[in-house]
Amino acid sequence: MNIEIIELEDGILLQNLQDFELRHTFDCGQCFRFNEDADGSFIGIADGRIVRMIKQGMDLRIKGAKRTDADFWLDFLDLNRDYSRIKAQLSDDPILKEAIRHGLGIRILNQQPFETLISFIISANKQIKQIKRCVEAIAEKFGEPVSFEGKTYYSFPDAMQLSKAGEAELRTCGCGYRAGYIAATAADLAAGRASLDEIMAQELPAAAKALQQLSGVGPKVADCILLFAMKKHGAFPVDVWVKRVLEEFYFVEYSNLKELRAYGMNQFGENAGIAQQYLFYYAREMKLR
DNA sequence: AAACAGGAACCAC
DNA sequence: GTGGTTCCTGTT
């Protein structure tokens, strides 16, 4: 879509963005470290880079970003992909067409695999607000400080840094019974017994299987990592909201999670994960029960 | 007949 | 949501 990149005194400006809204993108359950301020801008940190994003019409101002970081942010926000085409394809489905109308500015982020892995292990049996609090606590305790706008923020630790944390210390971050899973998984990665780079290089089915070898990672969490950090858009995470939409609008009768996952992947194909995000956002807007 | 992989059900965390 | 255990079944 021909994005222009302009260097500003305090950041960069990305011009002429189609199919992109901050609120849609950061409020659809994929990301836990970007938060909206009173003025509608979003402040957050990814890969140790702290920024404030301000949407101005079709442009996005990223305060705090360097010119050399432009490619990183374009990729992080998945702005190089043509969502108009994807949305047009998905809109053959009337229910999806309606869902897309509600979350038309959603982008599937390309987040850091390790941070995404740990964040979604934490997500089991937790609300988004609680997950955010826990992730923040881990960053403060084990990450590196970064100052911005006169305040201090913290990067999310890498596997090596987090492997130095004990289960007990993780519990003080609010991880609860997930602390043991996180400690074990961080240790495996730090010791090289598993590699997220290698997993990411595999095809979706094999990558999903490999992720599930890690402690605390089952089918749902694996799908989230594949979709939100590994560009595997065919993954279809089934959580309670997606379950509700499928039952409410697709008349899927009582079925287990595995069947719902297969239904989604079959129904929506290679972009099932993107469809999942529109449906998730829609279900929450409709306050489905 | 005994051993075993793999899946469903159940419940603690 | 995942992990561990139990129980059950198809298979060798």
Side-chain angles (χ1 to χ4, degrees):
Chain A
M1 60 183 155
N2 250 313
I3 299 171
E4 295 289 327
I5 303 167
I6 300 198
E7 186 166 7
L8 306 173
E9 282 183 26
D10 64 351
I12 57 176
L13 185 68
L14 307 180
Q15 292 185 308
N16 189 28
L17 306 179
Q18 310 279 340
D19 309 297
F20 175 63
E21 293 299 335
L22 291 170
R23 202 169 277 154
H24 292 169
T25 298
F26 289 122
D27 196 22
C28 59
Q30 60 175 327
C31 178
F32 305 108
R33 298 211 72 195
F34 276 77
N35 295 296
E36 184 170 2
D37 262 356
D39 64 357
S41 69
F42 278 74
I43 185 160
I45 183 166
D47 190 39
R49 313 172 206 221
I50 175 85
V51 293
R52 179 182 292 283
M53 297 188 178
I54 305 131
K55 184 87 190 299
Q56 303 170 146
M58 300 288 279
D59 303 342
L60 178 69
R61 191 175 140 220
I62 308 183
K63 191 183 166 200
K66 291 180 292 203
R67 176 65 181 81
T68 50
D69 286 341
D71 285 341
F72 171 84
W73 291 112
L74 284 169
D75 180 64
F76 182 79
L77 297 168
D78 207 30
L79 291 170
N80 296 316
R81 195 181 309 276
D82 181 359
Y83 276 64
S84 292
R85 193 176 55 74
I86 295 169
K87 289 196 283 190
Q89 284 173 189
L90 293 176
S91 290
D92 285 343
D93 180 322
I95 299 156
L96 260 181
K97 184 172 184 177
E98 177 64 12
I100 289 170
R101 203 170 65 73
H102 289 259
L104 76 198
I106 288 175
R107 292 269 165 177
I108 309 295
L109 297 172
N110 295 124
Q111 304 180 77
Q112 276 42 66
F114 182 69
E115 173 177 338
T116 307
L117 164 66
I118 302 303
S119 298
F120 280 95
I121 288 177
I122 292 165
S123 78
N125 272 330
K126 270 187 185 287
Q127 309 282 309
I128 291 176
K129 196 174 176 183
Q130 309 178 93
I131 303 168
K132 285 187 173 186
R133 196 180 307 136
C134 184
V135 169
E136 216 54 50
I138 289 177
E140 276 181 34
K141 199 149 192 174
F142 307 107
E144 306 289 342
V146 189
S147 66
F148 184 61
E149 298 178 339
K151 291 171 68 176
T152 302
Y153 296 84
Y154 295 85
S155 66
F156 193 84
D158 62 24
M160 204 62 90
Q161 292 170 311
L162 198 55
S163 67
K164 296 189 177 82
E167 181 179 337
E169 217 170 350
L170 284 165
R171 278 183 182 272
T172 68
C173 296
C175 298
Y177 63 82
R178 307 155 196 80
Y181 303 153
I182 296 170
T185 289
D188 280 349
L189 261 16
R193 287 189 288 273
S195 155
L196 293 178
D197 285 339
E198 283 174 20
I199 291 174
M200 188 169 174
Q202 304 188 58
E203 294 299 303
L204 195 157
K209 197 174 176 188
L211 282 172
Q212 288 177 55
Q213 303 303 306
L214 298 169
S215 179
V217 181
K220 158 66 165 59
V221 171
D223 279 340
C224 287
I225 300 161
L226 292 167
L227 182 57
F228 305 137
M230 296 188 170
K231 307 191 188 210
K232 311 288 190 197
H233 290 182
F236 191 80
V238 179
D239 65 2
V240 46
W241 291 101
V242 173
K243 182 173 185 292
R244 286 172 188 162
V245 209
L246 294 181
E247 287 170 350
E248 179 82 15
F249 297 120
Y250 289 85
F251 311 110
V252 179
E253 283 304 319
Y254 167 82
S255 49
N256 59 42
L257 265 29
K258 190 181 172 186
E259 283 170 342
L260 292 176
R261 178 179 191 262
Y263 177 89
M265 293 178 80
N266 180 54
Q267 177 85 5
F268 308 120
E270 62 172 351
N271 288 318
I274 302 182
Q276 188 269 10
Q277 284 302 92
Y278 292 123
L279 292 173
F280 178 94
Y281 193 84
Y282 185 43
R284 302 229 316 171
E285 283 237 317
M286 300 294 283
K287 301 187 192 304
L288 248 40
R289 281 292 163 196

Tab-separated table of all heavy atoms in Angstrom, chain A residues 125 177 181, chain B residues 10-13, chain C residues 1-5:
chain	number	residue	atom	x	y	z
A	125	ASN	N	-6.398	-19.752	32.604
A	125	ASN	CA	-7.287	-19.425	33.728
A	125	ASN	C	-7.106	-18.017	34.264
A	125	ASN	O	-7.261	-17.792	35.461
A	125	ASN	CB	-7.081	-20.414	34.878
A	125	ASN	CG	-7.954	-21.633	34.732
A	125	ASN	OD1	-9.044	-21.539	34.174
A	125	ASN	ND2	-7.484	-22.761	35.214
A	177	TYR	N	0.247	-21.201	40.159
A	177	TYR	CA	0.735	-22.562	39.832
A	177	TYR	C	1.481	-22.639	38.504
A	177	TYR	O	2.129	-23.632	38.202
A	177	TYR	CB	-0.433	-23.547	39.808
A	177	TYR	CG	-1.479	-23.275	38.745
A	177	TYR	CD1	-1.288	-23.699	37.435
A	177	TYR	CD2	-2.655	-22.593	39.041
A	177	TYR	CE1	-2.232	-23.457	36.451
A	177	TYR	CE2	-3.610	-22.344	38.069
A	177	TYR	CZ	-3.392	-22.766	36.776
A	177	TYR	OH	-4.325	-22.524	35.805
A	181	TYR	N	5.803	-24.152	35.596
A	181	TYR	CA	5.864	-24.334	34.139
A	181	TYR	C	6.858	-23.343	33.522
A	181	TYR	O	7.666	-23.697	32.659
A	181	TYR	CB	4.498	-24.087	33.485
A	181	TYR	CG	3.348	-24.934	34.001
A	181	TYR	CD1	2.037	-24.456	33.928
A	181	TYR	CD2	3.557	-26.204	34.530
A	181	TYR	CE1	0.967	-25.219	34.364
A	181	TYR	CE2	2.491	-26.971	34.968
A	181	TYR	CZ	1.191	-26.475	34.893
A	181	TYR	OH	0.129	-27.224	35.316
B	10	DC	P	-16.216	-37.389	33.458
B	10	DC	OP1	-17.312	-38.018	34.233
B	10	DC	OP2	-16.465	-36.169	32.660
B	10	DC	O5'	-15.013	-37.112	34.457
B	10	DC	C5'	-14.354	-38.203	35.085
B	10	DC	C4'	-13.339	-37.682	36.079
B	10	DC	O4'	-12.077	-37.437	35.404
B	10	DC	C3'	-13.758	-36.373	36.746
B	10	DC	O3'	-13.498	-36.457	38.138
B	10	DC	C2'	-12.858	-35.333	36.090
B	10	DC	C1'	-11.614	-36.143	35.773
B	10	DC	N1	-10.791	-35.630	34.638
B	10	DC	C2	-9.400	-35.741	34.726
B	10	DC	O2	-8.909	-36.255	35.730
B	10	DC	N3	-8.641	-35.281	33.704
B	10	DC	C4	-9.217	-34.737	32.632
B	10	DC	N4	-8.417	-34.306	31.659
B	10	DC	C5	-10.626	-34.614	32.523
B	10	DC	C6	-11.375	-35.066	33.539
B	11	DC	P	-14.167	-35.365	39.118
B	11	DC	OP1	-14.842	-36.121	40.192
B	11	DC	OP2	-14.908	-34.335	38.347
B	11	DC	O5'	-12.872	-34.699	39.742
B	11	DC	C5'	-11.814	-35.539	40.223
B	11	DC	C4'	-10.548	-34.715	40.332
B	11	DC	O4'	-10.006	-34.434	39.020
B	11	DC	C3'	-10.754	-33.360	41.011
B	11	DC	O3'	-9.658	-33.143	41.884
B	11	DC	C2'	-10.718	-32.387	39.842
B	11	DC	C1'	-9.684	-33.052	38.957
B	11	DC	N1	-9.642	-32.651	37.538
B	11	DC	C2	-8.397	-32.626	36.900
B	11	DC	O2	-7.395	-32.932	37.544
B	11	DC	N3	-8.350	-32.252	35.605
B	11	DC	C4	-9.457	-31.924	34.948
B	11	DC	N4	-9.346	-31.563	33.675
B	11	DC	C5	-10.741	-31.944	35.583
B	11	DC	C6	-10.786	-32.315	36.864
B	12	DA	P	-9.816	-32.134	43.107
B	12	DA	OP1	-10.238	-32.939	44.258
B	12	DA	OP2	-10.608	-30.954	42.686
B	12	DA	O5'	-8.309	-31.684	43.350
B	12	DA	C5'	-7.259	-32.678	43.340
B	12	DA	C4'	-5.974	-32.041	42.851
B	12	DA	O4'	-6.066	-31.778	41.429
B	12	DA	C3'	-5.660	-30.706	43.520
B	12	DA	O3'	-4.283	-30.637	43.807
B	12	DA	C2'	-6.102	-29.676	42.484
B	12	DA	C1'	-5.815	-30.402	41.175
B	12	DA	N9	-6.677	-30.001	40.059
B	12	DA	C8	-8.045	-29.862	40.071
B	12	DA	N7	-8.544	-29.508	38.900
B	12	DA	C5	-7.436	-29.420	38.081
B	12	DA	C6	-7.294	-29.094	36.718
B	12	DA	N6	-8.313	-28.783	35.924
B	12	DA	N1	-6.042	-29.096	36.216
B	12	DA	C2	-5.021	-29.399	37.016
B	12	DA	N3	-5.028	-29.731	38.305
B	12	DA	C4	-6.284	-29.716	38.782
B	13	DC	P	-3.683	-29.404	44.646
B	13	DC	OP1	-2.533	-29.922	45.411
B	13	DC	OP2	-4.827	-28.750	45.317
B	13	DC	O5'	-3.127	-28.408	43.530
B	13	DC	C5'	-2.113	-28.868	42.628
B	13	DC	C4'	-1.810	-27.766	41.638
B	13	DC	O4'	-2.832	-27.752	40.609
B	13	DC	C3'	-1.782	-26.367	42.242
B	13	DC	O3'	-0.615	-25.680	41.866
B	13	DC	C2'	-2.996	-25.675	41.657
B	13	DC	C1'	-3.153	-26.402	40.324
B	13	DC	N1	-4.514	-26.345	39.746
B	13	DC	C2	-4.653	-26.264	38.348
B	13	DC	O2	-3.654	-26.284	37.642
B	13	DC	N3	-5.891	-26.165	37.829
B	13	DC	C4	-6.960	-26.155	38.617
B	13	DC	N4	-8.155	-26.037	38.034
B	13	DC	C5	-6.836	-26.245	40.027
B	13	DC	C6	-5.610	-26.349	40.547
C	1	DG	P	-8.819	-20.068	28.091
C	1	DG	OP1	-9.942	-20.875	27.765
C	1	DG	OP2	-8.234	-18.961	27.593
C	1	DG	O5'	-7.633	-20.950	28.664
C	1	DG	C5'	-7.461	-22.213	28.113
C	1	DG	C4'	-6.051	-22.634	28.400
C	1	DG	O4'	-5.864	-22.779	29.833
C	1	DG	C3'	-5.707	-23.994	27.803
C	1	DG	O3'	-4.341	-23.994	27.446
C	1	DG	C2'	-6.053	-24.985	28.919
C	1	DG	C1'	-5.767	-24.152	30.182
C	1	DG	N9	-6.736	-24.398	31.266
C	1	DG	C8	-8.091	-24.329	31.211
C	1	DG	N7	-8.673	-24.613	32.348
C	1	DG	C5	-7.618	-24.887	33.201
C	1	DG	C6	-7.620	-25.261	34.571
C	1	DG	O6	-8.586	-25.427	35.321
C	1	DG	N1	-6.328	-25.443	35.053
C	1	DG	C2	-5.191	-25.278	34.324
C	1	DG	N2	-4.037	-25.498	34.960
C	1	DG	N3	-5.173	-24.930	33.054
C	1	DG	C4	-6.412	-24.760	32.549
C	2	DT	P	-3.644	-25.308	26.859
C	2	DT	OP1	-2.566	-24.853	25.974
C	2	DT	OP2	-4.688	-26.188	26.347
C	2	DT	O5'	-2.981	-25.970	28.150
C	2	DT	C5'	-2.067	-25.204	28.914
C	2	DT	C4'	-1.419	-26.051	29.993
C	2	DT	O4'	-2.362	-26.309	31.052
C	2	DT	C3'	-0.926	-27.430	29.519
C	2	DT	O3'	0.352	-27.654	30.101
C	2	DT	C2'	-1.970	-28.394	30.049
C	2	DT	C1'	-2.441	-27.699	31.311
C	2	DT	N1	-3.833	-27.972	31.749
C	2	DT	C2	-4.073	-28.286	33.074
C	2	DT	O2	-3.187	-28.390	33.910
C	2	DT	N3	-5.387	-28.462	33.403
C	2	DT	C4	-6.473	-28.364	32.559
C	2	DT	O4	-7.622	-28.537	32.985
C	2	DT	C5	-6.162	-28.058	31.183
C	2	DT	C7	-7.291	-27.945	30.194
C	2	DT	C6	-4.869	-27.871	30.848
C	3	DG	P	1.119	-29.038	29.808
C	3	DG	OP1	2.552	-28.727	29.707
C	3	DG	OP2	0.436	-29.771	28.733
C	3	DG	O5'	0.871	-29.819	31.177
C	3	DG	C5'	1.275	-29.218	32.417
C	3	DG	C4'	1.138	-30.248	33.527
C	3	DG	O4'	-0.252	-30.446	33.852
C	3	DG	C3'	1.688	-31.628	33.172
C	3	DG	O3'	2.318	-32.167	34.337
C	3	DG	C2'	0.456	-32.428	32.786
C	3	DG	C1'	-0.633	-31.796	33.650
C	3	DG	N9	-1.964	-31.770	33.053
C	3	DG	C8	-2.282	-31.526	31.734
C	3	DG	N7	-3.574	-31.521	31.506
C	3	DG	C5	-4.135	-31.771	32.754
C	3	DG	C6	-5.503	-31.877	33.147
C	3	DG	O6	-6.513	-31.753	32.456
C	3	DG	N1	-5.630	-32.142	34.504
C	3	DG	C2	-4.584	-32.293	35.377
C	3	DG	N2	-4.905	-32.554	36.636
C	3	DG	N3	-3.305	-32.191	35.028
C	3	DG	C4	-3.159	-31.932	33.711
C	4	DG	P	3.027	-33.592	34.217
C	4	DG	OP1	4.321	-33.427	34.896
C	4	DG	OP2	2.954	-34.114	32.834
C	4	DG	O5'	2.096	-34.493	35.133
C	4	DG	C5'	1.734	-34.050	36.446
C	4	DG	C4'	0.766	-35.041	37.038
C	4	DG	O4'	-0.547	-34.830	36.474
C	4	DG	C3'	1.139	-36.497	36.745
C	4	DG	O3'	0.947	-37.261	37.939
C	4	DG	C2'	0.181	-36.914	35.636
C	4	DG	C1'	-1.048	-36.045	35.936
C	4	DG	N9	-1.860	-35.722	34.764
C	4	DG	C8	-1.430	-35.408	33.503
C	4	DG	N7	-2.406	-35.156	32.668
C	4	DG	C5	-3.556	-35.317	33.431
C	4	DG	C6	-4.931	-35.182	33.081
C	4	DG	O6	-5.423	-34.875	31.995
C	4	DG	N1	-5.761	-35.433	34.167
C	4	DG	C2	-5.333	-35.776	35.423
C	4	DG	N2	-6.280	-35.975	36.324
C	4	DG	N3	-4.066	-35.910	35.764
C	4	DG	C4	-3.231	-35.666	34.719
C	5	DT	P	1.261	-38.838	37.875
C	5	DT	OP1	1.995	-39.124	39.120
C	5	DT	OP2	1.834	-39.224	36.562
C	5	DT	O5'	-0.196	-39.454	37.981
C	5	DT	C5'	-1.144	-38.850	38.873
C	5	DT	C4'	-2.461	-39.577	38.753
C	5	DT	O4'	-3.247	-39.018	37.676
C	5	DT	C3'	-2.291	-41.065	38.439
C	5	DT	O3'	-3.040	-41.843	39.372
C	5	DT	C2'	-2.825	-41.218	37.007
C	5	DT	C1'	-3.782	-40.042	36.871
C	5	DT	N1	-3.911	-39.527	35.490
C	5	DT	C2	-5.170	-39.232	34.996
C	5	DT	O2	-6.187	-39.372	35.655
C	5	DT	N3	-5.202	-38.770	33.716
C	5	DT	C4	-4.113	-38.591	32.869
C	5	DT	O4	-4.268	-38.179	31.715
C	5	DT	C5	-2.826	-38.921	33.438
C	5	DT	C7	-1.586	-38.759	32.598
C	5	DT	C6	-2.791	-39.361	34.714
